[in-house]
Amino acid sequence: MSFRIGLIRGDGIGPEIVTEAKKVLDKIASVYGHQFTYQELLLGGACIDATGEPITKETIEGAKASDAVLMGSIGGDAATSPWYKLEPEKRPEAGLLGIRKALGLFANLRPAVLYPELAGACPLKEELTEGGFDMLIMRELTGGLYFGERHTGVENGLRTAVDTLTYNEEEIRRIAVKGFEIARKRRNHVTSVDKANVLDSSRLWRSVVEEVHKDYPDVELSHMLVDNCAMQLVRDPKQFDVILTENMFGDILSDEASMVTGSIGMLASASLNDTSFGLYEPSHGSAPDIAGQDKANPIATILSAAMLLRYSLNLQKEADAVEEAVQKVLTEGYRTGDIMSTGCTLVGTKEMGDIITERINL
Ligand code: NAD
């Protein structure tokens, strides 16, 4: 089959890690008989350097014309990069917000996977994580507290600030549909997280999630209060498959879940809209401290490419093949510096990409 993939190489380690992920996609195309056509798109710091703006019309049009976009990370060192002397709306991060808005990306997916081989990086006790875990946090990205009306003023002589948390049923329904659909591609379990004992928005969240669940009787649904979920993530992370939640709760829980894996260079992410289109990128930043040194771990970006194959191109066995290749390479003991431990073989960005690519075969 033929697909069009947009490539945003980004800043810092971005170009290095995207090069390795593209190598993997090219191998998938040749092994499974697909044709991937790439279009290079500019965003963030690299786009500022080339055009003076963090995002351009060409970037948005190019992304819209693609089946999916794979991106490295955006941004530089805020203390030293000239990009951060610009007005906030001209800085690299404005490009990221701009592309999410232009493409209507309302669903953010962050898998948190603990590979048994990397158990040493996990800060939890071994008996809690034996055998590893594999969960996915599905966070609503364009509504809730971060997008509600806000103001600061003086009331009754006291400085007072107000933020509002609003969700309508449509915003909840569309993310719930995504959550159940994705659970069907995993282990068929959704934990919907809210604060329904206190918040009206959470009570609406819970009732709409239950309505949507009627269309997915094969997927098991449970509800959990957010404070309990924060505790369960460190008490028994193996219990989770898909965690479905609103914007602020997801922001906090996804960082907690990624910390529990202990390996930032291993964590993929995706942002989806209501078509099959998605923007796929590692969860980590552009790591300017190690840029250009062949030290970056490319696995988060390679696993983001696997998500792209699974969720936007609907190529399940190809996505499995990438994930299995990563697993094999870890089992064989190859490590970049960030996940290195005694007895393992230290490799650079390029060699890690090459070895993973070599392990993909029919
Ligand atoms: P960071 O994630 O870039 O780096 C934090 C630490 O983790 C650094 O020591 C870095 O070397 C290390 N690290 C990160 N990714 C790694 C990898 N793949 N392999 C090995 N080590 C890795 O976070 P930061 O330093 O706070 O941010 C740097 C820049 O990235 C900032 O401009 C920030 O705004 C941007 N950022 C962008 C995104 C994004 O594009 N979505 C996300 C987070 C941060």
Side-chain angles (χ1 to χ4, degrees), residues 108-141:
N108 181 246
L109 274 66
R110 272 172 70 171
V113 180
L114 178 68
Y115 294 87
E117 291 84 352
L118 302 182
C122 175
L124 301 183
K125 280 192 197 140
E126 221 179 297
E127 64 256 34
L128 299 178
T129 58
E130 212 184 332
F133 56 77
D134 175 0
M135 71 179 96
L136 185 147
I137 304 212
M138 157 91 57
R139 163 190 172 194
E140 203 289 327
L141 204 56

PDB file of all heavy atoms in Angstrom, residues 108-141:
ATOM      1  N   ASN A 108      -4.508  12.820  23.087  1.00  0.00           N
ATOM      2  CA  ASN A 108      -3.078  12.564  23.267  1.00  0.00           C
ATOM      3  C   ASN A 108      -2.887  11.179  23.880  1.00  0.00           C
ATOM      4  O   ASN A 108      -3.512  10.849  24.878  1.00  0.00           O
ATOM      5  CB  ASN A 108      -2.482  13.647  24.176  1.00  0.00           C
ATOM      6  CG  ASN A 108      -0.992  13.464  24.383  1.00  0.00           C
ATOM      7  OD1 ASN A 108      -0.538  13.181  25.473  1.00  0.00           O
ATOM      8  ND2 ASN A 108      -0.234  13.620  23.321  1.00  0.00           N
ATOM      9  N   LEU A 109      -2.030  10.401  23.253  1.00  0.00           N
ATOM     10  CA  LEU A 109      -1.779   9.028  23.726  1.00  0.00           C
ATOM     11  C   LEU A 109      -0.348   8.921  24.199  1.00  0.00           C
ATOM     12  O   LEU A 109       0.567   9.216  23.424  1.00  0.00           O
ATOM     13  CB  LEU A 109      -1.899   8.050  22.563  1.00  0.00           C
ATOM     14  CG  LEU A 109      -3.229   7.474  22.180  1.00  0.00           C
ATOM     15  CD1 LEU A 109      -4.135   8.554  21.662  1.00  0.00           C
ATOM     16  CD2 LEU A 109      -3.023   6.422  21.107  1.00  0.00           C
ATOM     17  N   ARG A 110      -0.179   8.475  25.423  1.00  0.00           N
ATOM     18  CA  ARG A 110       1.189   8.247  25.902  1.00  0.00           C
ATOM     19  C   ARG A 110       1.295   6.870  26.521  1.00  0.00           C
ATOM     20  O   ARG A 110       0.792   6.640  27.614  1.00  0.00           O
ATOM     21  CB  ARG A 110       1.591   9.326  26.900  1.00  0.00           C
ATOM     22  CG  ARG A 110       2.204  10.526  26.185  1.00  0.00           C
ATOM     23  CD  ARG A 110       2.442  11.682  27.098  1.00  0.00           C
ATOM     24  NE  ARG A 110       3.507  11.447  28.047  1.00  0.00           N
ATOM     25  CZ  ARG A 110       3.998  12.386  28.839  1.00  0.00           C
ATOM     26  NH1 ARG A 110       3.536  13.616  28.779  1.00  0.00           N
ATOM     27  NH2 ARG A 110       4.952  12.110  29.688  1.00  0.00           N
ATOM     28  N   PRO A 111       1.936   5.948  25.819  1.00  0.00           N
ATOM     29  CA  PRO A 111       2.152   4.644  26.433  1.00  0.00           C
ATOM     30  C   PRO A 111       3.217   4.761  27.520  1.00  0.00           C
ATOM     31  O   PRO A 111       4.151   5.554  27.382  1.00  0.00           O
ATOM     32  CB  PRO A 111       2.696   3.783  25.286  1.00  0.00           C
ATOM     33  CG  PRO A 111       2.668   4.622  24.061  1.00  0.00           C
ATOM     34  CD  PRO A 111       2.496   6.045  24.472  1.00  0.00           C
ATOM     35  N   ALA A 112       3.073   4.024  28.589  1.00  0.00           N
ATOM     36  CA  ALA A 112       4.133   3.907  29.595  1.00  0.00           C
ATOM     37  C   ALA A 112       4.410   2.419  29.737  1.00  0.00           C
ATOM     38  O   ALA A 112       3.588   1.660  30.251  1.00  0.00           O
ATOM     39  CB  ALA A 112       3.697   4.504  30.928  1.00  0.00           C
ATOM     40  N   VAL A 113       5.558   2.014  29.210  1.00  0.00           N
ATOM     41  CA  VAL A 113       5.905   0.593  29.153  1.00  0.00           C
ATOM     42  C   VAL A 113       7.174   0.376  29.975  1.00  0.00           C
ATOM     43  O   VAL A 113       8.143   1.112  29.808  1.00  0.00           O
ATOM     44  CB  VAL A 113       6.163   0.164  27.686  1.00  0.00           C
ATOM     45  CG1 VAL A 113       6.519  -1.311  27.609  1.00  0.00           C
ATOM     46  CG2 VAL A 113       4.955   0.476  26.816  1.00  0.00           C
ATOM     47  N   LEU A 114       7.124  -0.624  30.844  1.00  0.00           N
ATOM     48  CA  LEU A 114       8.353  -1.009  31.544  1.00  0.00           C
ATOM     49  C   LEU A 114       8.806  -2.350  30.974  1.00  0.00           C
ATOM     50  O   LEU A 114       8.126  -3.361  31.139  1.00  0.00           O
ATOM     51  CB  LEU A 114       8.139  -1.140  33.054  1.00  0.00           C
ATOM     52  CG  LEU A 114       9.394  -1.592  33.814  1.00  0.00           C
ATOM     53  CD1 LEU A 114      10.470  -0.516  33.781  1.00  0.00           C
ATOM     54  CD2 LEU A 114       9.076  -1.943  35.267  1.00  0.00           C
ATOM     55  N   TYR A 115       9.931  -2.332  30.250  1.00  0.00           N
ATOM     56  CA  TYR A 115      10.478  -3.575  29.720  1.00  0.00           C
ATOM     57  C   TYR A 115      11.203  -4.292  30.860  1.00  0.00           C
ATOM     58  O   TYR A 115      11.955  -3.648  31.610  1.00  0.00           O
ATOM     59  CB  TYR A 115      11.473  -3.275  28.598  1.00  0.00           C
ATOM     60  CG  TYR A 115      10.821  -2.657  27.394  1.00  0.00           C
ATOM     61  CD1 TYR A 115      10.648  -1.274  27.301  1.00  0.00           C
ATOM     62  CD2 TYR A 115      10.362  -3.436  26.341  1.00  0.00           C
ATOM     63  CE1 TYR A 115      10.036  -0.702  26.196  1.00  0.00           C
ATOM     64  CE2 TYR A 115       9.749  -2.869  25.238  1.00  0.00           C
ATOM     65  CZ  TYR A 115       9.598  -1.497  25.174  1.00  0.00           C
ATOM     66  OH  TYR A 115       8.988  -0.941  24.086  1.00  0.00           O
ATOM     67  N   PRO A 116      11.004  -5.606  30.996  1.00  0.00           N
ATOM     68  CA  PRO A 116      11.689  -6.339  32.070  1.00  0.00           C
ATOM     69  C   PRO A 116      13.198  -6.079  32.052  1.00  0.00           C
ATOM     70  O   PRO A 116      13.833  -5.975  33.098  1.00  0.00           O
ATOM     71  CB  PRO A 116      11.371  -7.801  31.766  1.00  0.00           C
ATOM     72  CG  PRO A 116      10.119  -7.768  30.965  1.00  0.00           C
ATOM     73  CD  PRO A 116      10.115  -6.472  30.207  1.00  0.00           C
ATOM     74  N   GLU A 117      13.779  -5.915  30.836  1.00  0.00           N
ATOM     75  CA  GLU A 117      15.236  -5.688  30.721  1.00  0.00           C
ATOM     76  C   GLU A 117      15.674  -4.366  31.359  1.00  0.00           C
ATOM     77  O   GLU A 117      16.826  -4.169  31.672  1.00  0.00           O
ATOM     78  CB  GLU A 117      15.662  -5.659  29.238  1.00  0.00           C
ATOM     79  CG  GLU A 117      15.573  -6.986  28.532  1.00  0.00           C
ATOM     80  CD  GLU A 117      14.170  -7.278  28.011  1.00  0.00           C
ATOM     81  OE1 GLU A 117      13.231  -6.516  28.327  1.00  0.00           O
ATOM     82  OE2 GLU A 117      14.018  -8.280  27.303  1.00  0.00           O
ATOM     83  N   LEU A 118      14.714  -3.401  31.472  1.00  0.00           N
ATOM     84  CA  LEU A 118      15.072  -2.084  32.009  1.00  0.00           C
ATOM     85  C   LEU A 118      14.506  -1.886  33.415  1.00  0.00           C
ATOM     86  O   LEU A 118      14.373  -0.755  33.894  1.00  0.00           O
ATOM     87  CB  LEU A 118      14.564  -0.974  31.081  1.00  0.00           C
ATOM     88  CG  LEU A 118      15.066  -1.034  29.635  1.00  0.00           C
ATOM     89  CD1 LEU A 118      14.536   0.147  28.840  1.00  0.00           C
ATOM     90  CD2 LEU A 118      16.591  -1.050  29.580  1.00  0.00           C
ATOM     91  N   ALA A 119      14.163  -3.001  34.062  1.00  0.00           N
ATOM     92  CA  ALA A 119      13.513  -2.905  35.380  1.00  0.00           C
ATOM     93  C   ALA A 119      14.360  -2.114  36.373  1.00  0.00           C
ATOM     94  O   ALA A 119      13.821  -1.441  37.258  1.00  0.00           O
ATOM     95  CB  ALA A 119      13.219  -4.300  35.917  1.00  0.00           C
ATOM     96  N   GLY A 120      15.687  -2.142  36.172  1.00  0.00           N
ATOM     97  CA  GLY A 120      16.582  -1.430  37.081  1.00  0.00           C
ATOM     98  C   GLY A 120      16.332   0.072  37.092  1.00  0.00           C
ATOM     99  O   GLY A 120      16.639   0.758  38.076  1.00  0.00           O
ATOM    100  N   ALA A 121      15.777   0.613  35.989  1.00  0.00           N
ATOM    101  CA  ALA A 121      15.540   2.063  35.906  1.00  0.00           C
ATOM    102  C   ALA A 121      14.259   2.467  36.637  1.00  0.00           C
ATOM    103  O   ALA A 121      14.027   3.645  36.889  1.00  0.00           O
ATOM    104  CB  ALA A 121      15.430   2.470  34.439  1.00  0.00           C
ATOM    105  N   CYS A 122      13.425   1.469  36.968  1.00  0.00           N
ATOM    106  CA  CYS A 122      12.128   1.766  37.593  1.00  0.00           C
ATOM    107  C   CYS A 122      12.327   2.045  39.082  1.00  0.00           C
ATOM    108  O   CYS A 122      12.953   1.259  39.791  1.00  0.00           O
ATOM    109  CB  CYS A 122      11.199   0.569  37.389  1.00  0.00           C
ATOM    110  SG  CYS A 122       9.631   0.759  38.227  1.00  0.00           S
ATOM    111  N   PRO A 123      11.800   3.169  39.574  1.00  0.00           N
ATOM    112  CA  PRO A 123      12.015   3.491  40.985  1.00  0.00           C
ATOM    113  C   PRO A 123      11.157   2.659  41.952  1.00  0.00           C
ATOM    114  O   PRO A 123      11.333   2.761  43.164  1.00  0.00           O
ATOM    115  CB  PRO A 123      11.624   4.983  41.067  1.00  0.00           C
ATOM    116  CG  PRO A 123      10.691   5.210  39.922  1.00  0.00           C
ATOM    117  CD  PRO A 123      11.052   4.229  38.857  1.00  0.00           C
ATOM    118  N   LEU A 124      10.244   1.821  41.422  1.00  0.00           N
ATOM    119  CA  LEU A 124       9.383   1.030  42.313  1.00  0.00           C
ATOM    120  C   LEU A 124      10.081  -0.274  42.730  1.00  0.00           C
ATOM    121  O   LEU A 124      10.987  -0.750  42.059  1.00  0.00           O
ATOM    122  CB  LEU A 124       8.066   0.676  41.614  1.00  0.00           C
ATOM    123  CG  LEU A 124       7.212   1.859  41.135  1.00  0.00           C
ATOM    124  CD1 LEU A 124       5.911   1.330  40.543  1.00  0.00           C
ATOM    125  CD2 LEU A 124       6.920   2.820  42.265  1.00  0.00           C
ATOM    126  N   LYS A 125       9.550  -0.844  43.819  1.00  0.00           N
ATOM    127  CA  LYS A 125      10.112  -2.122  44.301  1.00  0.00           C
ATOM    128  C   LYS A 125       9.886  -3.216  43.261  1.00  0.00           C
ATOM    129  O   LYS A 125       8.840  -3.247  42.611  1.00  0.00           O
ATOM    130  CB  LYS A 125       9.381  -2.539  45.584  1.00  0.00           C
ATOM    131  CG  LYS A 125       9.875  -1.831  46.802  1.00  0.00           C
ATOM    132  CD  LYS A 125       9.280  -2.542  48.016  1.00  0.00           C
ATOM    133  CE  LYS A 125       9.376  -1.688  49.234  1.00  0.00           C
ATOM    134  NZ  LYS A 125       8.202  -1.751  50.088  1.00  0.00           N
ATOM    135  N   GLU A 126      10.863  -4.128  43.150  1.00  0.00           N
ATOM    136  CA  GLU A 126      10.823  -5.145  42.108  1.00  0.00           C
ATOM    137  C   GLU A 126       9.554  -5.998  42.150  1.00  0.00           C
ATOM    138  O   GLU A 126       8.988  -6.342  41.113  1.00  0.00           O
ATOM    139  CB  GLU A 126      12.049  -6.036  42.274  1.00  0.00           C
ATOM    140  CG  GLU A 126      12.688  -6.391  40.958  1.00  0.00           C
ATOM    141  CD  GLU A 126      13.908  -7.262  41.194  1.00  0.00           C
ATOM    142  OE1 GLU A 126      14.854  -6.755  41.834  1.00  0.00           O
ATOM    143  OE2 GLU A 126      13.879  -8.430  40.772  1.00  0.00           O
ATOM    144  N   GLU A 127       9.074  -6.309  43.375  1.00  0.00           N
ATOM    145  CA  GLU A 127       7.909  -7.211  43.436  1.00  0.00           C
ATOM    146  C   GLU A 127       6.641  -6.559  42.848  1.00  0.00           C
ATOM    147  O   GLU A 127       5.710  -7.245  42.458  1.00  0.00           O
ATOM    148  CB  GLU A 127       7.654  -7.715  44.865  1.00  0.00           C
ATOM    149  CG  GLU A 127       7.282  -6.647  45.876  1.00  0.00           C
ATOM    150  CD  GLU A 127       8.454  -6.301  46.807  1.00  0.00           C
ATOM    151  OE1 GLU A 127       9.615  -6.345  46.340  1.00  0.00           O
ATOM    152  OE2 GLU A 127       8.198  -5.978  47.976  1.00  0.00           O
ATOM    153  N   LEU A 128       6.626  -5.223  42.743  1.00  0.00           N
ATOM    154  CA  LEU A 128       5.461  -4.540  42.173  1.00  0.00           C
ATOM    155  C   LEU A 128       5.473  -4.558  40.651  1.00  0.00           C
ATOM    156  O   LEU A 128       4.434  -4.390  40.008  1.00  0.00           O
ATOM    157  CB  LEU A 128       5.420  -3.073  42.630  1.00  0.00           C
ATOM    158  CG  LEU A 128       5.303  -2.799  44.120  1.00  0.00           C
ATOM    159  CD1 LEU A 128       5.331  -1.301  44.390  1.00  0.00           C
ATOM    160  CD2 LEU A 128       4.007  -3.395  44.662  1.00  0.00           C
ATOM    161  N   THR A 129       6.661  -4.729  40.068  1.00  0.00           N
ATOM    162  CA  THR A 129       6.776  -4.534  38.619  1.00  0.00           C
ATOM    163  C   THR A 129       7.320  -5.765  37.909  1.00  0.00           C
ATOM    164  O   THR A 129       7.621  -5.692  36.721  1.00  0.00           O
ATOM    165  CB  THR A 129       7.718  -3.350  38.326  1.00  0.00           C
ATOM    166  OG1 THR A 129       8.990  -3.639  38.928  1.00  0.00           O
ATOM    167  CG2 THR A 129       7.180  -2.048  38.850  1.00  0.00           C
ATOM    168  N   GLU A 130       7.440  -6.876  38.619  1.00  0.00           N
ATOM    169  CA  GLU A 130       8.024  -8.077  38.032  1.00  0.00           C
ATOM    170  C   GLU A 130       7.325  -8.431  36.716  1.00  0.00           C
ATOM    171  O   GLU A 130       6.089  -8.438  36.660  1.00  0.00           O
ATOM    172  CB  GLU A 130       7.895  -9.245  39.018  1.00  0.00           C
ATOM    173  CG  GLU A 130       9.049 -10.193  38.888  1.00  0.00           C
ATOM    174  CD  GLU A 130       8.863 -11.393  39.791  1.00  0.00           C
ATOM    175  OE1 GLU A 130       8.196 -11.248  40.830  1.00  0.00           O
ATOM    176  OE2 GLU A 130       9.371 -12.464  39.420  1.00  0.00           O
ATOM    177  N   GLY A 131       8.089  -8.674  35.662  1.00  0.00           N
ATOM    178  CA  GLY A 131       7.493  -8.990  34.359  1.00  0.00           C
ATOM    179  C   GLY A 131       7.188  -7.742  33.539  1.00  0.00           C
ATOM    180  O   GLY A 131       6.746  -7.828  32.403  1.00  0.00           O
ATOM    181  N   GLY A 132       7.384  -6.542  34.120  1.00  0.00           N
ATOM    182  CA  GLY A 132       7.127  -5.289  33.400  1.00  0.00           C
ATOM    183  C   GLY A 132       5.657  -4.913  33.387  1.00  0.00           C
ATOM    184  O   GLY A 132       4.804  -5.614  33.952  1.00  0.00           O
ATOM    185  N   PHE A 133       5.334  -3.774  32.760  1.00  0.00           N
ATOM    186  CA  PHE A 133       3.936  -3.370  32.558  1.00  0.00           C
ATOM    187  C   PHE A 133       3.815  -2.590  31.266  1.00  0.00           C
ATOM    188  O   PHE A 133       4.824  -2.156  30.687  1.00  0.00           O
ATOM    189  CB  PHE A 133       3.390  -2.582  33.757  1.00  0.00           C
ATOM    190  CG  PHE A 133       4.188  -1.353  34.124  1.00  0.00           C
ATOM    191  CD1 PHE A 133       4.082  -0.188  33.385  1.00  0.00           C
ATOM    192  CD2 PHE A 133       5.033  -1.375  35.217  1.00  0.00           C
ATOM    193  CE1 PHE A 133       4.819   0.935  33.723  1.00  0.00           C
ATOM    194  CE2 PHE A 133       5.777  -0.250  35.567  1.00  0.00           C
ATOM    195  CZ  PHE A 133       5.670   0.902  34.810  1.00  0.00           C
ATOM    196  N   ASP A 134       2.578  -2.413  30.811  1.00  0.00           N
ATOM    197  CA  ASP A 134       2.330  -1.777  29.520  1.00  0.00           C
ATOM    198  C   ASP A 134       0.968  -1.102  29.585  1.00  0.00           C
ATOM    199  O   ASP A 134      -0.064  -1.768  29.487  1.00  0.00           O
ATOM    200  CB  ASP A 134       2.360  -2.860  28.426  1.00  0.00           C
ATOM    201  CG  ASP A 134       2.001  -2.309  27.048  1.00  0.00           C
ATOM    202  OD1 ASP A 134       1.719  -1.101  26.914  1.00  0.00           O
ATOM    203  OD2 ASP A 134       1.995  -3.119  26.096  1.00  0.00           O
ATOM    204  N   MET A 135       0.969   0.202  29.835  1.00  0.00           N
ATOM    205  CA  MET A 135      -0.307   0.943  29.885  1.00  0.00           C
ATOM    206  C   MET A 135      -0.259   2.100  28.894  1.00  0.00           C
ATOM    207  O   MET A 135       0.815   2.457  28.394  1.00  0.00           O
ATOM    208  CB  MET A 135      -0.562   1.474  31.295  1.00  0.00           C
ATOM    209  CG  MET A 135       0.344   2.608  31.683  1.00  0.00           C
ATOM    210  SD  MET A 135      -0.007   3.233  33.334  1.00  0.00           S
ATOM    211  CE  MET A 135       1.211   2.339  34.300  1.00  0.00           C
ATOM    212  N   LEU A 136      -1.430   2.665  28.624  1.00  0.00           N
ATOM    213  CA  LEU A 136      -1.490   3.793  27.704  1.00  0.00           C
ATOM    214  C   LEU A 136      -2.424   4.848  28.291  1.00  0.00           C
ATOM    215  O   LEU A 136      -3.553   4.531  28.669  1.00  0.00           O
ATOM    216  CB  LEU A 136      -2.014   3.294  26.360  1.00  0.00           C
ATOM    217  CG  LEU A 136      -2.027   4.310  25.221  1.00  0.00           C
ATOM    218  CD1 LEU A 136      -1.765   3.598  23.907  1.00  0.00           C
ATOM    219  CD2 LEU A 136      -3.341   5.037  25.134  1.00  0.00           C
ATOM    220  N   ILE A 137      -1.909   6.065  28.403  1.00  0.00           N
ATOM    221  CA  ILE A 137      -2.755   7.145  28.928  1.00  0.00           C
ATOM    222  C   ILE A 137      -3.328   7.937  27.770  1.00  0.00           C
ATOM    223  O   ILE A 137      -2.585   8.422  26.916  1.00  0.00           O
ATOM    224  CB  ILE A 137      -1.947   8.067  29.869  1.00  0.00           C
ATOM    225  CG1 ILE A 137      -1.342   7.193  30.959  1.00  0.00           C
ATOM    226  CG2 ILE A 137      -2.845   9.189  30.424  1.00  0.00           C
ATOM    227  CD1 ILE A 137      -1.152   7.757  32.291  1.00  0.00           C
ATOM    228  N   MET A 138      -4.663   7.984  27.713  1.00  0.00           N
ATOM    229  CA  MET A 138      -5.347   8.725  26.654  1.00  0.00           C
ATOM    230  C   MET A 138      -5.909   9.997  27.288  1.00  0.00           C
ATOM    231  O   MET A 138      -6.843   9.946  28.078  1.00  0.00           O
ATOM    232  CB  MET A 138      -6.451   7.838  26.092  1.00  0.00           C
ATOM    233  CG  MET A 138      -7.554   8.543  25.412  1.00  0.00           C
ATOM    234  SD  MET A 138      -7.374   8.783  23.662  1.00  0.00           S
ATOM    235  CE  MET A 138      -7.168   7.210  23.038  1.00  0.00           C
ATOM    236  N   ARG A 139      -5.293  11.132  26.934  1.00  0.00           N
ATOM    237  CA  ARG A 139      -5.621  12.403  27.579  1.00  0.00           C
ATOM    238  C   ARG A 139      -6.342  13.325  26.605  1.00  0.00           C
ATOM    239  O   ARG A 139      -5.873  13.511  25.481  1.00  0.00           O
ATOM    240  CB  ARG A 139      -4.303  13.043  28.050  1.00  0.00           C
ATOM    241  CG  ARG A 139      -4.380  14.498  28.378  1.00  0.00           C
ATOM    242  CD  ARG A 139      -2.978  15.065  28.602  1.00  0.00           C
ATOM    243  NE  ARG A 139      -3.022  16.501  28.731  1.00  0.00           N
ATOM    244  CZ  ARG A 139      -1.965  17.298  28.672  1.00  0.00           C
ATOM    245  NH1 ARG A 139      -0.764  16.792  28.509  1.00  0.00           N
ATOM    246  NH2 ARG A 139      -2.096  18.595  28.786  1.00  0.00           N
ATOM    247  N   GLU A 140      -7.443  13.922  27.054  1.00  0.00           N
ATOM    248  CA  GLU A 140      -8.125  14.936  26.253  1.00  0.00           C
ATOM    249  C   GLU A 140      -7.207  16.159  26.212  1.00  0.00           C
ATOM    250  O   GLU A 140      -6.661  16.572  27.231  1.00  0.00           O
ATOM    251  CB  GLU A 140      -9.472  15.273  26.897  1.00  0.00           C
ATOM    252  CG  GLU A 140     -10.505  15.863  25.966  1.00  0.00           C
ATOM    253  CD  GLU A 140     -10.204  17.295  25.526  1.00  0.00           C
ATOM    254  OE1 GLU A 140      -9.621  18.050  26.332  1.00  0.00           O
ATOM    255  OE2 GLU A 140     -10.540  17.659  24.393  1.00  0.00           O
ATOM    256  N   LEU A 141      -7.022  16.758  25.008  1.00  0.00           N
ATOM    257  CA  LEU A 141      -5.943  17.736  24.867  1.00  0.00           C
ATOM    258  C   LEU A 141      -6.407  19.164  24.575  1.00  0.00           C
ATOM    259  O   LEU A 141      -5.601  20.090  24.628  1.00  0.00           O
ATOM    260  CB  LEU A 141      -5.031  17.258  23.711  1.00  0.00           C
ATOM    261  CG  LEU A 141      -3.591  17.698  23.661  1.00  0.00           C
ATOM    262  CD1 LEU A 141      -2.840  17.351  24.938  1.00  0.00           C
ATOM    263  CD2 LEU A 141      -2.897  17.054  22.462  1.00  0.00           C
TER     264      LEU A 141
END
